[in-house]
Amino acid sequence: MAKDRKVHEEETQEEAPIYGDILETVLSHVPLIDLVSASQVSRSWSGAVSSSLRHLKRIKPWLIVHTQSTRPPYATTAHAYDPRSGDWIQIHHQPPTDHVSALRSSHSTLSYMLSPSKFAFSSDPLRLTWHVVDAPLVWRTDPIVAEVGDSVVVAGGACDYEDDPLSVEVYDRRNGEWSACQSMPAMLKDSAASTSLSVAVHGGKMYVAEKCSGLTHSFDPNSKAWRGPYDLRPDQGVFCLVIESAGGNLIAVGVVGSPESIKTVKMWKFSGESLEDVEVVGEMPEEMVEKLKGESSYVPSVNVVARGSFVFIHNPSEPEEVIQCDIGNGRCRWGSVRNAVVNDTTRMQRMVVGCSDVAMVDLRKAMLMDDSLRFAAKHLE
């Protein structure tokens, strides 16, 4: 009898539910994509998930990487890197196929495809929801595109036979109409394509910087007017400057030296009416600079995407390594992660990199909207 009671007590202990601080600690080690199902176990588990994310291991912006074949039918793959768990995730979902063309992105939070007849764009955190509208009136091959509030700005990159290579058009998402605006500043005439310009959206404006000079202009979709130029190159040794919005500020990442011999990589933040207030955010550690260079040690340009306090930097020529920097709380915490998307096949494809705030509600909504959507952990080979 006593033996049976002891066995029963042991079984009861083994089946005792996990709750409280222990459960929250366990959940802090669970990837975000798996916390969606964990939050649906019970009300107490849902509360534990929320508490764990709030107090133990907060959600961090995701790096979104698309690769696309350069030939029809332009097969596209999507992956994401979650700094919170350190996991790469494959997203099994295809963008719209009715009007597929080259997938592009001018800044962190917007991807787009442009053909002579249609313009498709997505600012969805996971790039799952796409809007397909009529193309702008001016045919463009390599414009800069940015979403500012309810407006999608398409500027420059016009074909040679167009009258104005600097023309600007704005698509109003509220009424579904395009409108012509003041053209880009004349001094950008020789660099009015996305390959020569860097774009950031900050404070309700689109900022456009010439990568080689750092000269920057701003465009306000409400007034449809340009302002500037502003000189965002504090260090004259910078040969490539890329702007973004991070940590509540307009920031610039500058590569110092030359493409053949990088000395360092610095980051600044700007404020003030004319961006006259400049402050150094941080300088990339030497070991990170070496990883950024890659095997060839030739870096003609860098790609920068950012969201929240996270900044991701990589070398488009050798994207095997991604440098990350968390600039929150007045500190600059550097790190690096191997790009799990890069292999012999994807090196020959188009790679589009973005950054998104991905919350639990976004994952839950995505799973409800598309039954075929699947997330799978991507293991490094």
Side-chain angles (χ1 to χ4, degrees):
M1 187 75 174
K3 184 178 180 181
D4 292 341
R5 187 183 302 112
K6 183 177 181 181
V7 171
H8 177 72
E9 290 175 352
E10 290 178 351
E11 290 178 348
T12 302
Q13 290 175 356
E14 290 176 358
E15 296 173 359
I18 302 174
Y19 59 90
D21 294 343
I22 296 177
L23 177 58
E24 291 179 16
T25 302
V26 170
L27 292 172
S28 70
H29 297 281
V30 177
L32 194 65
I33 54 173
D34 296 321
L35 287 180
V36 175
S37 55
S39 67
Q40 298 171 342
V41 171
S42 66
R43 182 174 297 179
S44 62
W45 273 58
S46 178
V49 168
S50 298
S51 181
S52 178
L53 291 173
R54 187 166 54 250
H55 300 296
L56 297 182
K57 213 168 188 181
R58 64 184 178 88
I59 295 176
K60 299 177 180 179
W62 284 18
L63 181 71
I64 309 294
V65 182
H66 284 85
T67 55
Q68 184 187 52
S69 170
T70 55
R71 298 180 179 180
Y74 300 108
T76 304
T77 62
H79 294 80
Y81 172 69
D82 177 8
R84 175 185 172 275
S85 62
D87 291 334
W88 280 94
I89 304 152
Q90 184 168 2
I91 305 171
H92 295 274
H93 180 80
Q94 286 291 322
T97 56
D98 293 341
H99 307 285
V100 167
S101 58
L103 182 66
R104 302 178 186 273
S105 179
S106 296
H107 74 109
S108 298
T109 59
L110 182 78
S111 298
Y112 73 93
M113 293 181 285
L114 179 63
S115 72
S117 61
K118 295 294 179 181
F119 174 62
F121 62 93
S122 175
S123 56
D124 174 85
L126 297 171
R127 310 299 190 267
L128 302 178
T129 302
W130 287 77
H131 305 275
V132 181
V133 301
D134 290 337
L137 296 178
V138 175
W139 172 230
R140 309 164 191 270
T141 56
D142 189 23
I144 56 172
V145 180
E147 184 178 46
V148 188
D150 292 319
S151 301
V152 179
V153 184
V154 180
C159 291
D160 293 338
Y161 57 78
E162 293 286 354
D163 294 333
D164 183 7
L166 298 171
S167 66
V168 177
E169 293 175 82
V170 172
Y171 177 77
D172 191 330
R173 296 186 60 175
R174 293 166 296 186
N175 58 28
E177 295 180 355
W178 288 97
S179 60
C181 304
Q182 179 185 354
S183 296
M184 298 174 72
M187 64 188 307
L188 295 176
K189 184 176 181 179
D190 295 329
S191 57
S194 65
T195 52
S196 303
L197 300 173
S198 176
V199 180
V201 175
H202 178 72
K205 298 178 182 179
M206 177 182 75
Y207 289 86
V208 180
E210 197 174 44
K211 292 180 181 179
C212 62
S213 69
L215 289 179
T216 302
H217 294 78
S218 65
F219 177 77
D220 187 339
N222 293 321
S223 63
K224 299 183 179 180
W226 290 86
R227 291 189 62 185
Y230 316 107
D231 186 0
L232 299 191
R233 190 170 62 164
D235 187 329
Q236 295 306 304
V238 170
F239 71 89
C240 175
L241 184 132
V242 182
I243 59 174
E244 253 301 347
S245 178
N249 294 283
L250 182 68
I251 66 164
V253 174
V255 188
V256 182
S258 67
E260 298 80 10
S261 178
I262 293 180
K263 294 181 179 179
T264 187
V265 178
K266 296 181 180 180
M267 190 185 305
W268 300 271
K269 64 180 180 180
F270 303 86
S271 59
E273 183 67 23
S274 300
L275 305 177
E276 68 277 6
D277 297 326
V278 186
E279 183 179 338
V280 176
V281 176
E283 185 170 352
M284 187 180 293
E286 187 175 343
E287 62 269 25
M288 298 298 168
V289 175
E290 292 302 315
K291 289 185 177 183
L292 181 69
K293 291 179 182 178
E295 294 182 359
S296 71
S297 296
Y298 179 73
V299 186
S301 179
V302 296
N303 182 291
V304 179
V305 294
R307 198 67 177 160
S309 64
F310 266 73
V311 181
F312 296 94
I313 307 168
H314 78 273
N315 174 4
S317 301
E318 294 196 29
E320 286 83 359
E321 200 77 20
V322 179
I323 310 301
Q324 61 184 34
C325 183
D326 184 354
I327 61 175
N329 300 320
R331 299 175 59 191
C332 207
R333 291 171 289 275
W334 296 90
S336 68
V337 59
R338 180 183 162 192
N339 189 344
V341 181
V342 177
N343 54 43
D344 291 340
T345 300
T346 57
R347 282 189 182 91
M348 306 300 293
Q349 297 179 338
R350 181 180 295 107
M351 183 174 292
V352 178
V353 181
C355 190
S356 296
D357 285 320
V358 180
M360 289 277 290
V361 65
D362 298 312
L363 295 173
R364 193 177 295 115
K365 180 180 177 181
M367 293 174 183
L368 289 173
M369 288 178 58
D370 188 349
D371 293 336
S372 64
L373 176 66
R374 292 186 296 113
F375 298 95
K378 176 82 173 181
H379 300 289
L380 292 173
E381 298 177 356

